Each structure stands twice: as C-alpha cells, then as structure tokens.
Amino acid sequence: MNARKPALALLLTAPFLGETLSTATPPLDLIQPWRLPVMIALYGCGALICRELTYRYRLGLPGLCLLAAAYAVYEEALVDRFWFDPRYWDSVGVGSFSEVWHTNLLIAAHLTAFHIAVSICSSVLLVERVFPASRQRPWAGRRGLAVAGSALLAVPVLTYADFARAPAGQLLAAGGLCVLFIGCAFLTPRLPRRPTPVSRTPRPRLLGLIAFTATATHFVLVYTVPSTGVSWPIGTATALLPIALAVLLIRRLMTGDGLWAVTGILAFFLMLDAVVGFGGRYDLTIGALAAALALWWIHKRSARAQVR
C-alpha cells in the first residue's frame, strides 16, 4: 500500500473533522482555494505529525492524546488565540466566566478536549481503518515530516493579523504548556503497561452510547454553566466531569481500537451540523449526511474484514 494515500487522506480528513464538524467553517467555505491550503497546513499537517511521532516512537494512545493536547494548545492559544480573546468568549456565550490571568479556562479546556478527541484521534483512527494495511507503517519520511512541520509553523505567520493579539506572558506560558505536553508524550512508553483484561463480551455499541452521551452533555454544560451563577471552578469541573467519566468507562470496556467510541463522539457533531444547516447553511447538512455515510461504510468494511 502506497503510504501517500493514507497521508493524503489524513491531510484532508483532519480539516473536515476539526473545522467543519464544529460548524466553525461550513464545507463550501472550507474548500475555498485561499482557505483550504491553510486548513490542511494547520489541521492536516498537525494530525500527520502527531500520528507519525506516535508510530515511530511507540507512544500508544496516551502518547497520541498528549501530542493532540499539544496541538490543541498550539492552535487555539498560539494561532487563533481564542484562549485570550474576550470577543470570542462573548460570541459563544461564555463571556468572562472562568477568566484567570486574561485566559478563559473553560474555553481552553473545552477546545483542548475537542481537538484531542476529534481533530487528531478521530482523524487518525478513521484513516487507519480505511487503510488497515498501512496501520503498522510510516506514512511520511523525514522530508515529508519536515515539510509538514514547516507548513504547520507557517500558519501563525500567515494568519497573525486575523486574530486578537495576546500578551507576551500568556503566549510564552502557552508555548511552555505545549512543550510540556510533548515531553510527557515521550515519557508514556515508560509508564507501566495496563494488564491484559479478563476476556469479556465485546459491547461496542455501549462504547458509542457512552461517548455520544458524554460529548453531548459536555457540550451543553460548557455553554450553560456560565449562566447558572456557580463559581467558575465548580462550573468548569462540572463541564469536564462527563469527559472524565467517559474516559474511565471506555477504558474499562474497550476491547477493540475504539471505532465505536469515535463514532459516538462524531455522531453528536453530525447531528449538530445537520440541525444547524437547516438554518440556511445546507452544505453543513449535506456534509453531515456524507460523513454519516462514510462512517457507515467504514463500519461495514471493518465488519467484513473481521469475518475474513
């Protein structure tokens, strides 16, 4: 199998999952010739680098998640700078809730969780399912990684004027956090391995239901707790609690590679896109239906492969 195919698929999948499923950029806007290359450089190259480092250094899923967290900090704190932008906080209805040191902690945690689960991990897993023969192979050589890294680092230079400015201290702290996540990712191979679970009956659809419920609950809480009057530490912890519980439950129940868990996560955003699209952006609805069909095809393909 040509490694270029899964690499190209990941370069295109990550922008769609990370940018369109959140309704931030509808499909027809995403494919505009002056926007798509930037989105590929940001999302696609970021996902490719995370996948390749995870594969080459045997970091496993914990390492991939930590690299995805570093990517999330890079995108939302250093490129878009939404962590530090009060206009963005107001536009999404959160306002100054959980603002500490000119940083909205609820927004920061929410966007980080989204990019870990959707932009990076879901993109990588789905492409690996589409190209199973390439799962245990590198998808990019050193030159390819150098090009991807250069493209990723060029994005903030190209888009700097498009977003709010942030104090240097906050940017330096975010950069340090990004480096910390990367360092922790490379320590994951030293962690004690999880003991092999006792044989249990696979319950993949239950994983999907847990992931869907946690995603929907977290999403609703993020945009409702600021108006409840609770203190920001309690509100932020409450919004993150569904994710923590889902991670614990999925970790205990998962017997495969998590395709149903990813399906549950994406199902919520597909429903969101379909509903929002009826407000006039019908390309969101069409994109959601197309993505749902693609997920259905991947499940069917995986089921046939297991039978063989």
Side-chain angles (χ1 to χ4, degrees):
M1 177 67 69
N2 189 339
R4 293 180 180 178
K5 291 182 179 180
L8 178 60
L10 186 57
L11 289 174
L12 296 175
T13 300
F16 177 79
L17 295 188
E19 190 71 9
T20 296
L21 283 193
S22 66
T23 71
T25 305
L28 291 181
D29 291 344
L30 180 66
I31 63 175
Q32 291 174 353
W34 56 87
R35 178 171 289 148
L36 184 59
V38 176
M39 294 296 102
I40 290 175
L42 182 59
Y43 286 96
C45 290
L48 182 62
I49 292 170
C50 289
R51 190 272 171 186
E52 288 302 287
L53 292 179
T54 300
Y55 169 77
R56 290 167 183 267
Y57 294 96
R58 301 293 187 263
L59 303 182
L61 182 59
L64 178 62
C65 289
L66 285 166
L67 290 176
Y71 167 82
V73 175
Y74 176 77
E75 177 178 339
E76 301 295 351
L78 300 179
V79 178
D80 296 343
R81 299 185 289 280
F82 288 149
W83 285 22
F84 318 116
D85 187 356
R87 292 176 301 176
Y88 176 77
W89 310 341
D90 291 337
S91 70
V92 298
V94 174
S96 59
F97 182 82
S98 76
E99 181 183 356
V100 178
W101 199 44
H102 304 294
T103 305
N104 193 305
L105 299 184
L106 177 60
I107 289 293
H110 171 58
L111 294 176
T112 299
F114 173 82
H115 287 302
I116 292 173
V118 178
S119 302
I120 304 300
C121 291
S122 292
S123 298
V124 170
L125 185 141
L126 291 178
V127 174
E128 286 185 344
R129 275 299 186 112
V130 174
F131 300 96
S134 297
R135 188 172 182 177
Q136 299 301 325
R137 299 177 184 176
W139 294 353
R142 292 183 178 179
R143 183 178 298 177
L145 284 177
V147 171
S150 299
L152 184 63
L153 293 175
V155 173
V157 178
L158 296 174
T159 64
Y160 182 81
D162 296 337
F163 301 101
R165 295 188 179 183
Q170 278 77 356
L171 294 177
L172 287 173
L177 182 60
C178 188
V179 171
L180 178 63
F181 279 135
I182 295 173
C184 290
F186 282 93
L187 293 177
T188 54
R190 300 184 182 182
L191 296 175
R193 296 200 170 194
R194 180 186 175 191
T196 303
V198 178
S199 179
R200 62 169 71 98
T201 302
R203 304 179 69 181
R205 288 175 175 79
L206 178 59
L207 295 180
L209 178 61
I210 292 171
F212 176 85
T213 303
T215 303
T217 305
H218 166 72
F219 193 91
V220 171
L221 287 173
V222 164
Y223 298 107
T224 56
V225 292
S227 61
T228 61
V230 300
S231 63
W232 73 260
I234 294 176
T236 302
T238 301
L240 294 176
L241 182 60
I243 296 177
L245 292 176
V247 169
L248 292 175
L249 287 172
I250 290 174
R251 188 172 182 272
R252 286 181 61 86
L253 296 173
M254 191 165 65
T255 56
D257 65 359
L259 178 59
W260 272 98
V262 166
T263 301
I265 294 169
L266 298 184
F268 168 76
F269 291 102
L270 292 176
M271 291 175 59
L272 178 67
D273 278 26
V275 173
V276 172
F278 284 124
R281 288 308 307 247
Y282 299 111
D283 53 333
L284 277 172
T285 303
I286 295 172
L289 292 175
L293 287 173
L295 271 175
W296 174 82
W297 175 78
I298 292 172
H299 275 277
K300 288 293 185 182
R301 193 169 186 265
S302 298
R304 288 197 298 268
Q306 290 175 1
V307 170
R308 293 174 187 172

